[in-house]
Structure formats: structure tokens, C-alpha cells
Amino acid sequence: MKNIQNLISEAEKACENIFEQVEDNVLFNQRKVLAAFQENRVALSHFAPSSGYGYEDLGKHKLGDVFATALCCESAIVSPLIVSGTHALTIGLFGLLRPGDLVLSITGEPYESLKKAIWGKGTGSLTEFGVRFECIDDLSNRELILSTIKDKKPKMVYLQRSCGYSMREGITIAQMENIFGEIKKLDPSIIIFVDNCYGTFLERREPSEVGADIIVDSLIKNPGGGIAPTGAYIAGRVGLINLISSRLTAPGLRQEVGSYAGSYTPFFQGFFLAPRVVGNAVKGSALIGKICETIGMQTTPNPANYPNDMVRKIIFNDREKMVSFVQSIQACSAVDSYLTPIPDAMPGYSSEVIMASGSFNQGSSIELSCDGPVRPPYVAYIQGGLTYEHIRIAIEEAFSKII
Ligand SMILES: *Cc1c(COP(=O)(O)O)cnc(C)c1O
């Protein structure tokens, strides 16, 4: 135990600079969120539930306004009726794309759970509606990206900020600013669509501030602050959001309908807390990175820098070690700590997956969670943590088994 305590203390010292940067970002983003609440005159009456068609549901519209302001977007859909991040991304794509359109992903194939929505057979996928979806793997190959755009004239460019279950690093706002600028110079009418899952409040600016037209994140990730029980946001340019809200409900109905019989309080409160909670999780991720570096385990993002992704990958190259690590994280949860996760098939994933998520909201990954497809090179993806202290306690346990 002494060993692991020393290891963690040393790692904390080595993280001082990164932690300072985290605190700066939290303060900056907290100001942004607070100002959004004030500018939009949020009142207690906006937290009330609604029923039936939900006409004059004040909370729903106010929530959209607050998110739009804080995320520097013209408009936003924020809804508990969106069941997950995958659902939100799917609504966004179907809302904007029409038969014959081409989408060019510049960060390779999208997140696992979206593949059926894009390429699935017999499922009503985008492909079956005549939308083509092509991918370029390497964001740094800008010549290829720009020449492909020139030649093929895609309606939309798609970028996934976080790594998902791939081995690449997260995409920074600076990288986005760079490439989005060039794309818009080439063709200002292209829709830039960003999967911002795990990205919200990671930096001071959102992708919408550097040229993205639409951004999407799940409320059981960063923007829900660990408090929102479900839902997602889709934010961006008002004309595009109107098209997407026709797909959220029905053309002509848009956001005028849709009720929620629960209170809106956790959505507002979670968003208010989100900058701090994201900061806690980033600190945890930086700490884990330093520990891995010290004991010679492979990890990304690079432990030397402020993490460019909320998701930290630890490469085990060993099935048993990976499974055991994930199980220790589960054992350190506040909820379901007595359960032992085992590798199994999951809807939307192509190989067996193991998931530790002893969370207050099921599957919430802004809460401390750890998962991964159980296949070589046996990578555990660890993310979240509502408090820094909880992450510290959990990794004390998980790493004391490894060293
Ligand atoms: C979580 C996530 C999604 C959506 O996942 P859901 O589990 O459906 O909420 C999409 N893209 C990325 C990069 C993600 O991390």
C-alpha cells in the first residue's frame, strides 16, 4: 500500500501544471455557463414538468436557450426524449441529409454504435436512403481531405472529436480551427458536423466557435454534469436545428410538441455543474496517465500534456490483466460495487465487450467507468469520475493489483 501511495503522490506532483490548466478551464467555463443562465433569465418556473403534447413547455425551450448561449450556438435542442448520443447523432444526420448526398468523415469510421445507422442492411440506415458516407482516416492528410472535397463535393463533413474505440488521440479545438477554416474557404456551404461526445467543456472553446455548424453530445457524458438522468443536445445554426427538430418529432411539429413528466431541474443543475465535473474527470485522467508512464504501461493521450480526450486508453496486451483492471474499477463504485462485470456481447458492438459502470445513472460515462472490446491489444478505456477523490481511491485499488 505504501508503494502505491508514493506512486500516486509522485504522479500528482508531476501533474501540477496540467491541474493548473484544468482549474483555469473550469473557471472559464463556469463563467460561460453562469452567464448563459443569467442572460436567459432562468427561473424556478422553468423546472416544472409538462404532460401530453407539451405545448407551452417552458423548461424545454429555456433549456435549449441556455445550452445554445453557453455553447456559442444560435439554437439548440436539449431533450430527455433523445435516448442516447447515438440517437442524437442519428437524428442530426437524418435531419440534414437527403438521397444522393455524400458525407465525408475526416476522422475515419465513426463510433461503433453508429455504424448500423450509417451502413446497416434492412434497418433503414442512411445507406438505404441513398446517402453515401465515405471516410478519410488521417486528419493530418489535408491535401487528401481538400482534394476529395473539391472532387466529390460532399454535403457534409463529419468529425468525431473523441477517439471512441480507436487508438488515435482526441482532436483538439486548434486542429479543428485549422482544418475547418480551409474547408470553409473551399466551400462555405458545406455543413460541418461534429460528434462532440466527451468534448463539451474539455477546452475553453467549443467546436461551434471554430466553424462547426452542428455539435452533438450526450447528457450522460460531459454536459449532464453527472446529474442529468438521460438525453442529449444537438446545437448549431438555427436553420439546421429547425431541419433536425423536424426529424426529432415530425415535420411541421418540431419542438412545439414533446413533454417531460419529470422535473427539468437535473438538466439545468447538471449543466451548471458540468464544467467542474469535467475538470475532476480530466484531473483523474491526467493522474492515471502519469502513473502508467511511471510504471511503463502504454497509454494515450500522451501523459505529458493536458489530455486532448476525456477517454484514457491503457494498453494491457493481456486479456486477464485487462479484465481484472475493469473489475477493480467496478468494485470501487458507489453503486453495484458487489457485482463483477464479465466480457459479453452488446448491441451495436462487433466483439465481446466488458463494462464497469457502477453509476447512479445507468451507463453514465461522466461517472467513473471503464470498458473496452475484449480483443487484442486488450485496451481498457477509462473515463469520468464525479469527484477527483473518487478517481484517486479507485485507481489506488486498481493499480495496487498491477504493481
Ligand atoms: C458515447 C459516444 C457516442 C454515443 O454513444 P451513446 O452510448 O449512444 O450515448 C458517440 N460518439 C462518441 C465518440 C462517443 O464517445
Side-chain angles (χ1 to χ4, degrees):
M1 209 55 184
K2 179 119 183 33
N3 250 347
I4 183 74
Q5 290 301 344
N6 286 347
L7 182 63
I8 293 179
S9 306
E10 293 297 310
E12 277 181 327
K13 279 201 199 92
C15 282
E16 263 170 18
N17 284 342
I18 296 176
F19 284 7
E20 219 171 278
Q21 215 178 324
V22 171
E23 294 307 323
D24 285 350
N25 286 353
V26 170
L27 181 61
F28 186 90
N29 285 320
Q30 189 69 70
R31 277 192 213 284
K32 236 178 173 181
V33 171
L34 178 60
F37 273 71
Q38 293 167 342
E39 270 173 45
N40 288 288
R41 303 171 66 99
V42 174
L44 275 176
S45 56
H46 298 126
F47 303 161
S50 62
S51 66
Y53 291 121
Y55 296 140
E56 287 161 36
D57 176 329
L58 297 178
K60 166 178 64 188
H61 295 294
K62 190 57 77 177
L63 201 52
D65 293 343
V66 170
F67 272 61
T69 305
L71 301 172
C72 302
C73 292
E74 292 172 5
S75 182
I77 298 166
V78 185
S79 176
L81 307 179
I82 303 176
V83 303
S84 67
T86 304
H87 187 203
L89 292 160
T90 303
I91 294 167
L93 294 172
F94 274 91
L96 297 175
L97 297 165
R98 299 293 179 264
D101 284 344
L102 171 68
V103 183
L104 181 68
S105 165
I106 55 174
T107 44
E109 287 193 358
Y111 194 70
E112 298 253 338
S113 62
L114 268 172
K115 289 180 184 170
K116 279 194 179 137
I118 296 169
W119 293 294
K121 290 202 170 73
T123 55
S125 63
L126 280 176
T127 304
E128 290 182 330
F129 279 95
V131 173
R132 292 162 300 139
F133 202 104
E134 294 181 12
C135 305
I136 291 177
D137 283 328
D138 183 6
L139 187 67
S140 65
N141 193 344
R142 71 193 35 229
E143 263 169 50
L144 177 64
I145 292 171
L146 296 176
S147 68
T148 306
I149 290 172
K150 239 187 228 155
D151 292 347
K152 298 193 171 176
K153 305 211 176 320
K155 164 104 163 262
M156 174 187 287
V157 164
Y158 186 95
L159 179 138
Q160 180 184 306
R161 185 170 173 186
S162 176
C163 62
Y165 287 122
S166 77
M167 289 309 294
R168 67 167 170 83
E169 296 253 334
I171 312 297
T172 63
I173 293 290
Q175 282 175 294
M176 286 184 231
E177 183 165 38
N178 218 304
I179 189 76
F180 292 170
E182 301 213 24
I183 291 170
K184 290 275 169 162
K185 236 190 288 167
L186 205 59
D187 181 358
S189 72
I190 285 185
I191 300 168
I192 297 181
F193 189 108
V194 174
D195 174 352
N196 203 29
C197 285
Y198 288 131
T200 310
F201 300 139
L202 182 57
E203 297 190 35
R204 290 176 173 220
R205 292 183 299 171
E206 298 302 326
S208 39
E209 294 171 69
V210 296
D213 299 298
I214 291 290
I215 60 175
V216 176
D217 198 354
S218 159
L219 297 187
I220 57 170
K221 292 181 177 169
N222 302 17
I227 306 290
T230 185
Y233 77 69
I234 307 170
R237 284 181 22 218
V238 64
L240 304 179
I241 292 296
N242 285 342
L243 285 169
I244 294 169
S245 56
S246 286
R247 190 53 47 192
L248 173 73
T249 59
L253 299 184
R254 307 209 294 214
Q255 285 253 86
E256 298 310 310
V257 295
S259 62
Y260 185 61
S263 163
Y264 283 108
T265 306
F267 300 93
F268 284 100
Q269 196 168 4
F271 191 56
F272 182 72
L273 292 172
R276 178 72 263 166
V277 172
V278 169
N280 296 343
V282 174
K283 283 169 79 172
S285 171
L287 183 70
I288 298 169
K290 279 287 181 231
I291 294 172
C292 287
E293 190 181 36
T294 309
I295 63 176
M297 294 185 73
Q298 246 182 302
T299 185
T300 54
N302 185 345
N305 308 326
Y306 180 90
N308 55 25
D309 201 320
M310 295 280 289
V311 180
R312 172 153 302 282
K313 284 159 279 187
I314 307 174
I315 296 106
F316 284 88
N317 287 313
D318 183 292
R319 182 188 164 101
E320 294 318 309
K321 283 188 184 143
M322 174 202 174
V323 168
S324 154
F325 184 86
V326 175
Q327 290 172 341
S328 335
I329 298 295
Q330 177 85 30
C332 285
S333 304
V335 182
D336 288 342
S337 62
Y338 58 92
L339 298 177
T340 306
I342 52 168
D344 203 357
M346 282 270 297
Y349 296 85
S350 53
S351 64
E352 277 192 324
V353 177
I354 184 166
M355 293 200 164
S357 180
S359 49
F360 290 90
N361 291 309
Q362 194 204 36
S364 166
S365 49
I366 186 59
E367 300 184 49
L368 183 62
S369 50
C370 185
D371 53 82
V374 185
R375 62 183 179 219
Y378 300 105
V379 182
Y381 297 72
I382 182 165
Q383 61 270 314
L386 298 183
T387 70
Y388 171 73
E389 290 71 21
H390 178 214
I391 306 168
R392 195 188 187 285
I393 293 166
I395 60 178
E396 194 176 286
E397 204 48 42
F399 278 99
S400 63
K401 286 211 184 108
I402 293 173
I403 60 172

